[in-house]
């Protein structure tokens, strides 16, 4: 790792630490605990390389995971993984995802074509996951297992 890379990582770590300290003052401890768990989960997921990832949460956690907390998770993920400035953009609803939010480079946030393509890609991936889930459930039922 060269000096510039170390500097970039150090700068990102500083920004992340400052933001986490600020978050501790703004949100309740249970929400912060959920954010930290989800951030750890995301940091080892395909989302790190630009893929999508479905978070595993129980009913209580889903209730805590408000749209505002979703946006905070995206901000934290961006601070953790990106060298450039990223912003949270609401893409709206699609058949398999309600209130889609994504993290995009700041200069692309106002590009409707880019956002439309991004929404289509995310929606197509969600649709494929749903088809896969139904197929796995069908296989489980045919095998005598509970899906």
């Amino acid at each position: 790792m060269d000096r510039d890379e170390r500097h970039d990582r150090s700068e990102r770590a500083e920004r992340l630490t400052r933001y986490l300290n600020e978050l501790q003052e703004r949100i309740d401890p249970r929400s912060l605990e959920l954010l930290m768990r989800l951030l750890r989960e995301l940091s080892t997921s395909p989302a790190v390389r630009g893929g999508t990832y479905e978070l595993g949460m129980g009913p209580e956690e889903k209730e805590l995971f408000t749209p505002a907390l979703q946006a905070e998770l995206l901000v934290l993920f961006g601070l953790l993984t990106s060298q450039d400035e990223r912003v949270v953009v609401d893409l709206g609803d699609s058949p398999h995802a309600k209130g889609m939010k994504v993290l995009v480079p700041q200069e692309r946030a106002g590009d409707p074509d880019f956002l439309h393509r991004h929404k289509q890609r995310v929606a197509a991936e969600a649709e494929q996951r749903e088809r896969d889930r139904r197929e796995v459930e069908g296989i489980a039922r045919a095998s005598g297992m509970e899906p």
Side-chain angles (χ1 to χ4, degrees), residues 86-123:
R86 301 274 171 148
V87 294
V88 176
V89 175
D90 187 347
L91 294 178
D93 294 342
S94 75
H96 295 286
K98 301 292 181 218
M100 285 191 296
K101 290 179 178 37
V102 294
L103 201 58
V104 298
Q106 193 167 17
E107 66 274 4
R108 304 299 299 266
D111 180 344
D113 292 332
F114 172 78
L115 296 176
H116 180 71
R117 286 190 312 273
H118 199 75
K119 181 177 180 176
Q120 286 179 317
R121 181 183 64 81
V122 172

CSV table of all heavy atoms in Angstrom, one decimal, residues 86-123:
chain,number,residue,atom,x,y,z
A,86,ARG,N,-20.3,10.6,-1.5
A,86,ARG,CA,-21.5,9.9,-2.0
A,86,ARG,C,-22.7,10.5,-1.2
A,86,ARG,O,-22.6,11.0,-0.1
A,86,ARG,CB,-21.5,8.4,-1.6
A,86,ARG,CG,-20.3,7.7,-2.2
A,86,ARG,CD,-20.6,7.3,-3.6
A,86,ARG,NE,-19.5,6.7,-4.3
A,86,ARG,CZ,-19.6,5.8,-5.2
A,86,ARG,NH1,-20.8,5.2,-5.5
A,86,ARG,NH2,-18.6,5.4,-5.9
A,87,VAL,N,-23.9,10.4,-1.9
A,87,VAL,CA,-25.1,10.9,-1.3
A,87,VAL,C,-26.2,9.9,-1.4
A,87,VAL,O,-26.2,9.0,-2.3
A,87,VAL,CB,-25.6,12.2,-2.0
A,87,VAL,CG1,-24.6,13.4,-1.7
A,87,VAL,CG2,-25.8,12.1,-3.5
A,88,VAL,N,-27.2,9.9,-0.5
A,88,VAL,CA,-28.3,9.0,-0.5
A,88,VAL,C,-29.4,9.6,-1.5
A,88,VAL,O,-29.7,10.7,-1.4
A,88,VAL,CB,-28.8,8.8,0.9
A,88,VAL,CG1,-30.1,7.9,0.9
A,88,VAL,CG2,-27.8,8.2,1.8
A,89,VAL,N,-29.8,8.7,-2.4
A,89,VAL,CA,-30.9,9.1,-3.3
A,89,VAL,C,-32.0,8.1,-3.1
A,89,VAL,O,-31.8,6.9,-3.1
A,89,VAL,CB,-30.4,9.1,-4.8
A,89,VAL,CG1,-31.5,9.4,-5.7
A,89,VAL,CG2,-29.2,10.1,-4.9
A,90,ASP,N,-33.2,8.6,-3.1
A,90,ASP,CA,-34.4,7.8,-3.0
A,90,ASP,C,-34.9,7.5,-4.4
A,90,ASP,O,-35.2,8.4,-5.2
A,90,ASP,CB,-35.5,8.5,-2.2
A,90,ASP,CG,-36.7,7.7,-1.9
A,90,ASP,OD1,-36.9,6.6,-2.5
A,90,ASP,OD2,-37.6,8.1,-1.1
A,91,LEU,N,-34.9,6.2,-4.8
A,91,LEU,CA,-35.3,5.8,-6.1
A,91,LEU,C,-36.8,5.5,-6.2
A,91,LEU,O,-37.4,5.3,-7.3
A,91,LEU,CB,-34.6,4.6,-6.6
A,91,LEU,CG,-33.1,4.8,-6.8
A,91,LEU,CD1,-32.4,3.5,-7.2
A,91,LEU,CD2,-32.8,5.9,-7.8
A,92,GLY,N,-37.5,5.5,-5.1
A,92,GLY,CA,-38.9,5.2,-5.1
A,92,GLY,C,-39.2,3.7,-5.0
A,92,GLY,O,-38.3,2.9,-4.6
A,93,ASP,N,-40.4,3.3,-5.3
A,93,ASP,CA,-40.8,1.9,-5.2
A,93,ASP,C,-40.6,1.2,-6.5
A,93,ASP,O,-40.6,1.8,-7.6
A,93,ASP,CB,-42.3,1.9,-4.9
A,93,ASP,CG,-42.6,2.4,-3.5
A,93,ASP,OD1,-41.7,2.5,-2.7
A,93,ASP,OD2,-43.8,2.7,-3.2
A,94,SER,N,-40.5,-0.1,-6.4
A,94,SER,CA,-40.5,-1.0,-7.6
A,94,SER,C,-41.3,-2.2,-7.1
A,94,SER,O,-41.7,-2.3,-5.9
A,94,SER,CB,-39.1,-1.4,-8.0
A,94,SER,OG,-38.6,-2.4,-7.1
A,95,PRO,N,-41.7,-3.1,-8.0
A,95,PRO,CA,-42.5,-4.3,-7.6
A,95,PRO,C,-42.0,-5.1,-6.5
A,95,PRO,O,-42.8,-5.6,-5.7
A,95,PRO,CB,-42.6,-5.1,-8.9
A,95,PRO,CG,-42.4,-4.1,-10.0
A,95,PRO,CD,-41.4,-3.1,-9.4
A,96,HIS,N,-40.7,-5.2,-6.3
A,96,HIS,CA,-40.1,-6.0,-5.2
A,96,HIS,C,-39.4,-5.3,-4.2
A,96,HIS,O,-38.8,-5.9,-3.3
A,96,HIS,CB,-39.2,-7.1,-5.9
A,96,HIS,CG,-39.9,-8.1,-6.7
A,96,HIS,ND1,-40.7,-9.1,-6.3
A,96,HIS,CD2,-40.0,-8.1,-8.1
A,96,HIS,CE1,-41.2,-9.7,-7.3
A,96,HIS,NE2,-40.8,-9.2,-8.4
A,97,ALA,N,-39.4,-4.0,-4.3
A,97,ALA,CA,-38.7,-3.2,-3.3
A,97,ALA,C,-39.4,-1.8,-3.1
A,97,ALA,O,-39.6,-1.1,-4.0
A,97,ALA,CB,-37.2,-2.9,-3.7
A,98,LYS,N,-39.7,-1.6,-1.8
A,98,LYS,CA,-40.4,-0.3,-1.5
A,98,LYS,C,-39.4,0.7,-1.0
A,98,LYS,O,-38.6,0.4,-0.2
A,98,LYS,CB,-41.5,-0.6,-0.4
A,98,LYS,CG,-42.6,-1.6,-0.8
A,98,LYS,CD,-43.4,-1.0,-1.9
A,98,LYS,CE,-44.5,-2.0,-2.3
A,98,LYS,NZ,-44.8,-2.1,-3.7
A,99,GLY,N,-39.6,1.9,-1.5
A,99,GLY,CA,-38.7,3.0,-1.0
A,99,GLY,C,-37.2,2.8,-1.2
A,99,GLY,O,-36.5,2.9,-0.2
A,100,MET,N,-36.8,2.3,-2.4
A,100,MET,CA,-35.4,2.0,-2.6
A,100,MET,C,-34.6,3.3,-2.4
A,100,MET,O,-34.9,4.3,-3.0
A,100,MET,CB,-35.2,1.5,-4.0
A,100,MET,CG,-35.7,0.1,-4.3
A,100,MET,SD,-35.1,-0.5,-5.9
A,100,MET,CE,-35.9,0.6,-7.0
A,101,LYS,N,-33.5,3.1,-1.6
A,101,LYS,CA,-32.5,4.2,-1.4
A,101,LYS,C,-31.2,3.6,-1.9
A,101,LYS,O,-30.9,2.4,-1.6
A,101,LYS,CB,-32.5,4.6,0.0
A,101,LYS,CG,-33.7,5.3,0.5
A,101,LYS,CD,-33.6,5.7,1.9
A,101,LYS,CE,-34.7,6.5,2.5
A,101,LYS,NZ,-36.0,6.1,2.0
A,102,VAL,N,-30.4,4.4,-2.5
A,102,VAL,CA,-29.1,4.0,-3.0
A,102,VAL,C,-28.1,5.1,-2.7
A,102,VAL,O,-28.4,6.3,-2.5
A,102,VAL,CB,-29.0,3.7,-4.5
A,102,VAL,CG1,-29.9,2.5,-4.8
A,102,VAL,CG2,-29.5,4.9,-5.3
A,103,LEU,N,-26.8,4.7,-2.7
A,103,LEU,CA,-25.7,5.6,-2.5
A,103,LEU,C,-25.1,5.8,-3.8
A,103,LEU,O,-24.7,4.9,-4.5
A,103,LEU,CB,-24.7,5.0,-1.5
A,103,LEU,CG,-23.8,5.9,-0.7
A,103,LEU,CD1,-24.5,6.9,0.1
A,103,LEU,CD2,-22.9,5.0,0.2
A,104,VAL,N,-25.0,7.1,-4.3
A,104,VAL,CA,-24.4,7.4,-5.6
A,104,VAL,C,-23.4,8.5,-5.5
A,104,VAL,O,-23.5,9.3,-4.5
A,104,VAL,CB,-25.5,7.8,-6.6
A,104,VAL,CG1,-26.5,6.6,-6.8
A,104,VAL,CG2,-26.2,9.0,-6.2
A,105,PRO,N,-22.5,8.6,-6.4
A,105,PRO,CA,-21.6,9.7,-6.4
A,105,PRO,C,-22.4,11.0,-6.5
A,105,PRO,O,-23.4,11.1,-7.2
A,105,PRO,CB,-20.7,9.5,-7.7
A,105,PRO,CG,-20.9,8.1,-8.0
A,105,PRO,CD,-22.2,7.6,-7.5
A,106,GLN,N,-21.9,12.0,-5.8
A,106,GLN,CA,-22.6,13.3,-5.7
A,106,GLN,C,-22.9,13.9,-7.1
A,106,GLN,O,-24.0,14.4,-7.3
A,106,GLN,CB,-21.8,14.2,-4.9
A,106,GLN,CG,-22.6,15.5,-4.4
A,106,GLN,CD,-21.8,16.2,-3.4
A,106,GLN,OE1,-20.6,16.1,-3.2
A,106,GLN,NE2,-22.6,17.1,-2.7
A,107,GLU,N,-22.0,13.8,-8.0
A,107,GLU,CA,-22.2,14.3,-9.3
A,107,GLU,C,-23.2,13.6,-10.2
A,107,GLU,O,-23.7,14.1,-11.2
A,107,GLU,CB,-20.9,14.5,-10.1
A,107,GLU,CG,-20.2,13.1,-10.5
A,107,GLU,CD,-19.4,12.5,-9.4
A,107,GLU,OE1,-19.3,13.1,-8.3
A,107,GLU,OE2,-18.7,11.5,-9.6
A,108,ARG,N,-23.6,12.4,-9.8
A,108,ARG,CA,-24.6,11.6,-10.5
A,108,ARG,C,-26.0,11.7,-9.9
A,108,ARG,O,-27.0,11.2,-10.5
A,108,ARG,CB,-24.2,10.1,-10.6
A,108,ARG,CG,-22.9,9.8,-11.2
A,108,ARG,CD,-22.7,10.2,-12.6
A,108,ARG,NE,-23.5,9.7,-13.6
A,108,ARG,CZ,-23.3,8.6,-14.4
A,108,ARG,NH1,-22.2,7.9,-14.2
A,108,ARG,NH2,-24.1,8.2,-15.3
A,109,ALA,N,-26.1,12.3,-8.7
A,109,ALA,CA,-27.4,12.3,-8.0
A,109,ALA,C,-28.5,13.0,-8.7
A,109,ALA,O,-29.7,12.8,-8.5
A,109,ALA,CB,-27.2,13.0,-6.6
A,110,GLY,N,-28.1,14.0,-9.6
A,110,GLY,CA,-29.1,14.7,-10.4
A,110,GLY,C,-29.3,14.2,-11.8
A,110,GLY,O,-30.0,14.9,-12.6
A,111,ASP,N,-28.7,13.1,-12.1
A,111,ASP,CA,-28.8,12.5,-13.5
A,111,ASP,C,-30.0,11.5,-13.6
A,111,ASP,O,-29.8,10.4,-13.2
A,111,ASP,CB,-27.5,11.9,-13.8
A,111,ASP,CG,-27.4,11.3,-15.2
A,111,ASP,OD1,-28.5,11.1,-15.9
A,111,ASP,OD2,-26.3,11.0,-15.7
A,112,PRO,N,-31.1,12.0,-14.2
A,112,PRO,CA,-32.3,11.1,-14.2
A,112,PRO,C,-32.1,9.8,-15.0
A,112,PRO,O,-32.6,8.7,-14.6
A,112,PRO,CB,-33.4,11.9,-14.8
A,112,PRO,CG,-32.7,13.1,-15.4
A,112,PRO,CD,-31.4,13.3,-14.8
A,113,ASP,N,-31.3,9.8,-16.0
A,113,ASP,CA,-31.0,8.6,-16.8
A,113,ASP,C,-30.2,7.6,-16.0
A,113,ASP,O,-30.5,6.4,-16.0
A,113,ASP,CB,-30.3,8.9,-18.1
A,113,ASP,CG,-31.2,9.7,-19.1
A,113,ASP,OD1,-32.4,9.5,-19.0
A,113,ASP,OD2,-30.6,10.5,-19.9
A,114,PHE,N,-29.2,8.1,-15.3
A,114,PHE,CA,-28.4,7.2,-14.5
A,114,PHE,C,-29.2,6.6,-13.4
A,114,PHE,O,-29.1,5.4,-13.1
A,114,PHE,CB,-27.2,8.1,-13.9
A,114,PHE,CG,-26.4,7.3,-12.8
A,114,PHE,CD1,-25.5,6.4,-13.2
A,114,PHE,CD2,-26.6,7.5,-11.5
A,114,PHE,CE1,-24.8,5.7,-12.2
A,114,PHE,CE2,-25.9,6.8,-10.5
A,114,PHE,CZ,-25.0,5.9,-10.9
A,115,LEU,N,-30.0,7.4,-12.7
A,115,LEU,CA,-30.9,6.9,-11.6
A,115,LEU,C,-31.9,5.9,-12.1
A,115,LEU,O,-32.2,4.9,-11.5
A,115,LEU,CB,-31.5,8.1,-10.9
A,115,LEU,CG,-30.6,9.1,-10.2
A,115,LEU,CD1,-31.4,10.2,-9.6
A,115,LEU,CD2,-29.7,8.4,-9.1
A,116,HIS,N,-32.5,6.2,-13.3
A,116,HIS,CA,-33.4,5.2,-13.9
A,116,HIS,C,-32.8,3.9,-14.2
A,116,HIS,O,-33.3,2.8,-13.8
A,116,HIS,CB,-34.0,5.8,-15.1
A,116,HIS,CG,-35.0,4.9,-15.8
A,116,HIS,ND1,-36.3,4.7,-15.2
A,116,HIS,CD2,-35.0,4.2,-16.9
A,116,HIS,CE1,-36.9,3.9,-16.0
A,116,HIS,NE2,-36.2,3.5,-17.0
A,117,ARG,N,-31.6,3.9,-14.8
A,117,ARG,CA,-30.9,2.7,-15.0
A,117,ARG,C,-30.5,1.9,-13.7
A,117,ARG,O,-30.6,0.7,-13.7
A,117,ARG,CB,-29.6,2.9,-15.9
A,117,ARG,CG,-29.8,3.3,-17.3
A,117,ARG,CD,-28.6,3.3,-18.1
A,117,ARG,NE,-27.5,4.1,-17.5
A,117,ARG,CZ,-27.3,5.4,-17.7
A,117,ARG,NH1,-28.1,6.1,-18.4
A,117,ARG,NH2,-26.3,6.0,-17.1
A,118,HIS,N,-30.1,2.7,-12.8
A,118,HIS,CA,-29.8,2.1,-11.5
A,118,HIS,C,-31.0,1.5,-10.8
A,118,HIS,O,-30.9,0.4,-10.3
A,118,HIS,CB,-29.2,3.2,-10.5
A,118,HIS,CG,-28.4,2.7,-9.4
A,118,HIS,ND1,-27.2,2.2,-9.5
A,118,HIS,CD2,-28.7,2.5,-8.1
A,118,HIS,CE1,-26.7,1.8,-8.4
A,118,HIS,NE2,-27.6,2.0,-7.5
A,119,LYS,N,-32.1,2.1,-10.9
A,119,LYS,CA,-33.4,1.6,-10.3
A,119,LYS,C,-33.8,0.3,-11.1
A,119,LYS,O,-34.1,-0.7,-10.5
A,119,LYS,CB,-34.5,2.6,-10.4
A,119,LYS,CG,-35.8,2.1,-9.9
A,119,LYS,CD,-36.9,3.2,-9.9
A,119,LYS,CE,-38.2,2.6,-9.3
A,119,LYS,NZ,-39.2,3.7,-9.3
A,120,GLN,N,-33.6,0.3,-12.4
A,120,GLN,CA,-33.9,-0.9,-13.2
A,120,GLN,C,-33.1,-2.1,-12.8
A,120,GLN,O,-33.5,-3.2,-12.6
A,120,GLN,CB,-33.8,-0.6,-14.7
A,120,GLN,CG,-34.9,0.2,-15.2
A,120,GLN,CD,-34.7,0.5,-16.7
A,120,GLN,OE1,-33.6,0.8,-17.2
A,120,GLN,NE2,-35.8,0.4,-17.5
A,121,ARG,N,-31.8,-1.8,-12.6
A,121,ARG,CA,-30.8,-2.8,-12.2
A,121,ARG,C,-31.2,-3.4,-10.9
A,121,ARG,O,-31.2,-4.6,-10.7
A,121,ARG,CB,-29.4,-2.3,-12.2
A,121,ARG,CG,-28.3,-3.4,-11.9
A,121,ARG,CD,-26.9,-2.9,-11.8
A,121,ARG,NE,-26.7,-1.9,-10.8
A,121,ARG,CZ,-26.5,-2.2,-9.5
A,121,ARG,NH1,-26.5,-3.4,-9.1
A,121,ARG,NH2,-26.3,-1.2,-8.6
A,122,VAL,N,-31.4,-2.5,-9.9
A,122,VAL,CA,-31.7,-3.0,-8.5
A,122,VAL,C,-33.0,-3.7,-8.5
A,122,VAL,O,-33.2,-4.8,-7.9
A,122,VAL,CB,-31.8,-1.8,-7.6
A,122,VAL,CG1,-32.3,-2.2,-6.2
A,122,VAL,CG2,-30.4,-1.1,-7.4
A,123,ALA,N,-34.0,-3.2,-9.3
A,123,ALA,CA,-35.3,-3.9,-9.4
A,123,ALA,C,-35.2,-5.3,-10.0
A,123,ALA,O,-35.8,-6.3,-9.6
A,123,ALA,CB,-36.3,-3.1,-10.1
